[in-house]
């Protein structure tokens, strides 16, 4: 007979921009991309707006695979070159695409107090990590940042939605009323959690257009930093 895990209160953590500062790496790439585009005769603001448009379309088509972002950068450069009637420079396109690859080669900084918080909470709760992204990239990130040891289960998801969270609850035999979700994104963390009936804590950070969404209700806790979690959990 299969032995069932004893049910204890659970926290499902997001990774990017909740525990590590991933957006900072994308912001650096976006800034370098916009400067290259400006130096090539294109407007920075228009280039960044089109990049978001193309990248969101590619996310919807391919998910968060690592090849997506370099591809989106290259396609944005191609779009403006064709629009302006300019010949595509293969070397410049490769340089632009490499900005996207660099995002995945760097290890993001840790959010302030992350070890302190996880040291405490891992002694009291069953911790799960649920992150969006490419499996190889995310697993490397968790390993090299030293965060892996804190989590009993790690999920790398193609999308974060109600079905994925329900699947986690089912697989881990969790009760909604005893399960918390902690994340920075309204679209990917808060709203799916609210729909499922989880206890939700939002730690807002500046993010990008894909994640922009209004909360479905006010039935959640908003805090200013990860360290504040210890005041509530």
């Amino acid at each position: 007979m299969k032995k069932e895990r004893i049910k204890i209160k659970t926290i499902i953590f997001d990774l990017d921009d909740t525990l590590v500062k991933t957006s900072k790496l994308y912001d650096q790439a976006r800034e370098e991309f916009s400067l290259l585009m400006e130096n090539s005769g294109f407007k920075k603001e228009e280039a960044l707006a089109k990049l978001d448009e193309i990248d969101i379309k590619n996310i919807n088509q391919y998910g968060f695979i690592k090849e997506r972002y370099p591809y989106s950068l290259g396609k944005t450069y191609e779009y403006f070159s064709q629009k302006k009637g300019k010949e595509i420079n293969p070397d410049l396109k490769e340089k632009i695409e490499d900005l996207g690859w660099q995002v995945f080669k760097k290890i993001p900084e840790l959010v302030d107090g992350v070890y302190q918080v996880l040291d405490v909470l891992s002694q009291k709760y069953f911790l799960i990590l649920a992150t969006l992204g490419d499996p190889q990239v995310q697993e490397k990130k968790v390993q090299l940042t030293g965060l892996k040891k804190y989590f009993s289960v790690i999920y790398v998801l193609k999308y974060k939605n109600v079905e994925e969270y329900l699947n986690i609850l089912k697989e881990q035999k969790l009760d909604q009323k005893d399960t918390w979700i902690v994340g920075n994104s309204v679209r990917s963390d808060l709203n799916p959690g609210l729909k499922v009936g989880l206890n939700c804590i939002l730690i807002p950070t500046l993010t990008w257009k894909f994640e922009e969404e209004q909360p479905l209700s006010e039935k959640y806790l908003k805090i200013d930093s990860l360290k504040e979690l210890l005041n509530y959990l």
Side-chain angles (χ1 to χ4, degrees):
M1 181 179 293
K2 185 177 179 181
K3 184 178 179 181
E4 292 193 4
R5 180 177 62 79
I6 298 173
K7 290 186 179 181
I8 58 176
K9 291 185 178 179
T10 303
I11 306 174
I12 302 173
F13 274 97
D14 171 52
L15 177 64
D16 294 307
D17 296 311
T18 299
L19 303 178
V20 296
K21 301 177 182 179
T22 307
S23 283
K24 186 174 181 179
L25 300 180
Y26 281 92
D27 290 343
Q28 291 170 351
R30 286 168 63 84
E31 179 61 23
E32 292 181 47
F33 165 72
S34 68
L35 289 174
L36 285 175
M37 292 295 284
E38 185 178 50
N39 292 336
S40 301
F42 307 116
K43 293 182 179 179
K44 293 173 65 174
E45 295 78 10
E46 289 182 5
L48 291 175
K50 178 56 70 171
L51 172 60
D52 283 344
E53 179 186 321
I54 289 173
D55 202 30
I56 289 171
K57 180 180 178 181
N58 288 331
I59 286 173
N60 291 331
Q61 184 171 355
Y62 304 112
F64 284 83
I65 60 172
K66 62 183 177 181
E67 293 85 359
R68 181 211 89 244
Y69 192 56
Y71 179 75
S72 295
L73 286 163
K75 284 297 178 183
T76 304
Y77 166 65
E78 286 184 356
Y79 169 84
F80 282 103
S81 295
Q82 292 165 356
K83 183 179 179 181
K84 298 289 186 179
K86 292 187 175 185
E87 187 175 346
I88 293 172
N89 182 329
D91 292 335
L92 178 57
K93 182 184 176 185
E94 183 178 352
K95 188 174 183 179
I96 285 172
E97 290 176 338
D98 189 58
L99 294 175
W101 288 112
Q102 289 302 316
V103 170
F104 305 115
K105 293 176 182 178
K106 298 174 182 177
I107 302 302
E109 297 175 29
L110 293 166
V111 169
D112 294 342
V114 64
Y115 291 146
Q116 173 193 352
V117 170
L118 295 180
D119 276 335
V120 172
L121 296 181
S122 62
Q123 300 300 315
K124 299 165 60 179
Y125 300 99
F126 183 73
L127 300 189
I128 295 174
L129 187 68
T131 175
L132 278 173
D134 182 274
Q136 286 186 334
V137 171
Q138 298 303 84
E139 287 164 12
K140 178 182 177 183
K141 199 183 297 182
V142 173
Q143 185 72 44
L144 294 181
T145 55
L147 297 177
K148 185 174 183 178
K149 65 181 180 180
Y150 293 106
F151 298 97
S152 298
V153 187
I154 296 176
Y155 289 90
V156 180
L157 307 172
K158 187 175 182 180
Y159 300 104
K160 278 189 173 181
N161 52 34
V162 169
E163 292 164 316
E164 293 289 2
Y165 283 116
L166 286 175
N167 181 58
I168 291 173
L169 292 174
K170 182 179 179 181
E171 285 190 2
Q172 302 303 321
K173 299 180 175 63
L174 305 177
D175 190 328
Q176 284 98 322
K177 70 177 183 296
D178 291 331
T179 302
W180 293 77
I181 184 167
V182 178
N184 72 292
S185 169
V186 174
R187 174 173 179 162
S188 297
D189 303 312
L190 178 63
N191 281 344
L194 290 172
K195 287 180 180 178
V196 172
L198 302 178
N199 303 289
C200 298
I201 297 179
L202 182 71
I203 310 173
T205 59
L206 290 176
T207 183
W208 70 297
K209 196 171 183 65
F210 176 78
E211 297 290 354
E212 292 177 358
E213 200 168 271
Q214 291 300 311
L216 294 175
S217 78
E218 297 181 357
K219 295 180 179 179
Y220 67 95
L221 176 64
K222 182 167 73 172
I223 59 177
D224 294 326
S225 70
L226 185 68
K227 289 181 179 180
E228 282 189 52
L229 268 184
L230 299 182
N231 296 333
Y232 299 95
L233 297 176

